[in-house]
Amino acid sequence: MKKINIFRFVRKWQITVVVAGLMMPLSVIAVSQTADTEQIKRGEYLSRAANCMGCHTARGGEPYAGGRTLKTPFGEFVAPNITPDNETGIGHWSSEDFWQALHSGKARDGSYLYPVFPYTEYTKVTREDADAMFAYLHSLKPVAQTNPPHKIKSPYDNQFLLFLWRMWYFDEGVYQPDTSKSEEWNRGNYLVQGLGHCNACHTPRNVWGASQNSKVAGGEIMGTHWYAPSLISPLEAGVGEWSIDDIVKLLSTGINEHAVTSGPMATIVRQSLQHLTPEDMRAMAVYLQSIGEKHMENETPKKIPPMPDQVKRYLDMGERVYQEHCQSCHGVSGEGVPGIYPPLAGNRSVTMKSPHNMIRSVLYGGFPPTTASNPRPYGMPPFQHIIRDHEIAWVISYIRNAWGNLGSLVKPEEIDDSRGNEF
């Protein structure tokens, strides 16, 4: 019997497969696979930009398998498994389900998600980007991991209250470009306010946990004892007076001649920001520079008021602690060593209103992120096992008021209050 060849060349470089009367060009299949590969690759990049792994990975756990506990005043929330496992992850989810969660803050069954998942910012993400992220997550290895349930305090475990919260505080909508601004500025705004969800940390929150504005004006990171400084004020982390290159360097390496990132921000730089393209990094810098305020040209420098004798004695005790434990690295006059040990004189992170970050750094150490451009950063060891709480309060108070610095005094009880919930 003569064999039937089911493959025939229709034209050069294109093969057509005939199966049960259905003709499908292999060239189309190849294009489709390429498109899927490109979408997955783009989704991986966007997931990096959104730092999904940061919350959806427990310490020492499988990537994206969830299990990390996020503590808030309203209870403890456990990040879910978002690998494509059918039973414990999002294997049965469709792209529409994912879009509903990201854009509308609703679970697959239609129930309302709690805003510890920052859908209040992710709602700005475009459908195209959301679909790419979903394609990437579905390309991952499925991990069968059942995570514990949330422990939400009463009455916050009530869907009707969450419905009211959304009515008051949630504005659903994809980012709309500002036509009066450049394409680069709009890209930076989209990354900062949308995918990067910077507002989730860098904003003051009311008693209901809702952002009081979208101006990244600074606020305590809920449940962590870390303070995310204002990205507007020149007295905190505003970069209106910095060059674009300086901003890019800080975001991509975690350190520049003006500042060093530590705590949660160092983690963001290591896990997310350093992996962005130079174009996206510059776009973020352009946007952040544009919203940063500048010092007034005729602004009168603050004068250090006369100190009462009791305050002088308090600071004198702090100076002795500084000389013993800090001076060898940060210098006699708090000048530091460029690129190695940050200066303390004139350092905004030292003098800003909240002392939380400085307390945490002294307690647990200060560690810039390890990045491709700064693979072996210098760090500060923890001191909580070396000096006592009242000595930490003394030395921080001294640093905040030495060499022209002007900040509030720190009390010993503030040191103990800052313990726990390490990021």
Side-chain angles (χ1 to χ4, degrees), residues 118-125 193-195 197-200 211:
Y119 61 83
T120 46
E121 283 71 42
Y122 285 158
T123 188
K124 298 180 177 67
V125 173
Q193 297 287 358
L195 274 173
H197 62 284
C198 304
N199 200 57
S211 300

Side-chain angles (χ1 to χ4, degrees), residues 112-286:
Y112 299 127
L113 298 175
Y114 283 83
V116 66
F117 170 61
Y119 61 83
T120 46
E121 283 71 42
Y122 285 158
T123 188
K124 298 180 177 67
V125 173
T126 66
R127 181 62 190 262
E128 181 183 14
D129 283 354
D131 286 348
M133 293 168 70
F134 179 73
Y136 167 66
L137 293 175
H138 258 244
S139 74
L140 299 174
K141 178 189 74 173
V143 178
Q145 176 174 307
T146 301
N147 296 310
H150 303 318
K151 296 179 181 177
I152 308 173
K153 299 176 182 178
S154 180
Y156 307 115
D157 55 347
N158 186 303
Q159 282 278 302
F160 180 70
L161 289 181
L162 191 52
F163 166 77
L164 294 178
W165 187 95
R166 292 165 57 93
M167 290 287 291
W168 289 325
Y169 302 119
F170 177 42
D171 294 322
E172 182 178 321
V174 171
Y175 174 74
Q176 299 299 318
D178 184 341
T179 56
S180 68
K181 304 290 186 180
S182 68
E183 183 177 342
E184 185 176 51
W185 184 95
N186 275 289
R187 176 64 177 173
N189 190 356
Y190 175 71
L191 290 168
V192 170
Q193 297 287 358
L195 274 173
H197 62 284
C198 304
N199 200 57
C201 290
H202 291 273
T203 185
R205 293 182 178 270
N206 62 22
V207 295
W208 298 106
S211 300
Q212 296 189 44
N213 55 58
S214 59
K215 296 181 179 179
V216 286
E220 184 173 339
I221 303 175
M222 194 173 292
T224 67
H225 297 295
W226 283 98
Y227 177 76
S230 168
L231 302 182
I232 299 172
S233 172
L235 301 178
E236 295 197 0
V239 291
E241 298 176 326
W242 289 14
S243 70
I244 296 298
D245 289 342
D246 283 342
I247 302 171
V248 168
K249 186 176 181 180
L250 182 67
L251 294 179
S252 58
T253 69
I255 185 170
N256 66 13
E257 64 180 40
H258 305 291
V260 176
T261 62
S262 62
M265 189 60 198
T267 303
I268 297 297
V269 172
R270 176 175 57 83
Q271 293 181 339
S272 176
L273 294 179
Q274 70 160 320
H275 301 287
L276 298 189
T277 63
E279 294 78 14
D280 276 350
M281 193 65 69
R282 178 180 169 82
M284 290 181 67
V286 166

Side-chain angles (χ1 to χ4, degrees), residues 92-109 127 130-131 134-135 138 172:
H92 287 306
W93 282 40
S94 67
S95 59
E96 189 65 34
D97 295 329
F98 187 76
W99 170 250
Q100 177 174 266
L102 212 66
H103 181 71
S104 304
K106 293 180 181 179
R108 187 171 179 236
D109 62 4
R127 181 62 190 262
D131 286 348
F134 179 73
H138 258 244
E172 182 178 321

Side-chain angles (χ1 to χ4, degrees), residues 354-375:
S354 172
H356 283 330
N357 296 355
M358 197 173 179
I359 293 173
R360 300 281 291 186
S361 294
V362 175
L363 283 173
Y364 300 111
F367 303 99
T370 299
T371 60
S373 300
N374 189 26

